[in-house]
Amino acid sequence: MSALKKDTIYVKPREGLRIRQENGKPLPADGGQVPLNSFWRRRLRDQDVVAAQPPRKPKANAKSTEQES
C-alpha cells in the first residue's frame, strides 16, 4: 500500500494546459501530489488535470557499479 495519505492525489495538467496551484505557482508538467479538496476536485471535474500515477523512484543498487580505489 502507498504511504501517502488518502486525502491527497497525484495529478498532471491536461496536455497543452498550464494549471496554477492554490498558492499561485504553476503545477509542474510532470504533475504533483495535491490535497483532494474542492479546488482540485473542480480541476478534475473540469478536466483541467488528470489523475495519474506518481513517477516511480529508482531503486538504489546494493552494489556499486564503479570500483573505488
Side-chain angles (χ1 to χ4, degrees), residues 1-68:
M1 278 303 213
S2 175
L4 299 173
K5 294 180 181 179
K6 293 189 180 203
D7 56 348
T8 64
I9 186 171
Y10 192 87
V11 296
K12 290 184 177 183
R14 194 177 76 202
E15 181 116 10
L17 293 182
R18 290 191 57 180
I19 303 299
R20 296 222 175 258
Q21 300 177 63
E22 291 176 287
N23 62 10
K25 295 180 182 177
L27 181 66
D30 59 346
Q33 195 76 30
V34 297
L36 191 53
N37 57 21
S38 61
F39 179 87
W40 289 106
R41 288 179 196 271
R42 192 175 319 117
R43 303 282 96 53
L44 284 162
R45 183 193 66 211
D46 294 344
Q47 297 179 355
D48 294 333
V49 296
V50 294
Q53 291 293 321
R56 291 182 174 222
K57 295 179 184 175
K59 292 183 179 179
N61 290 338
K63 297 179 182 176
S64 176
T65 57
E66 296 181 24
Q67 296 280 336
E68 291 186 24

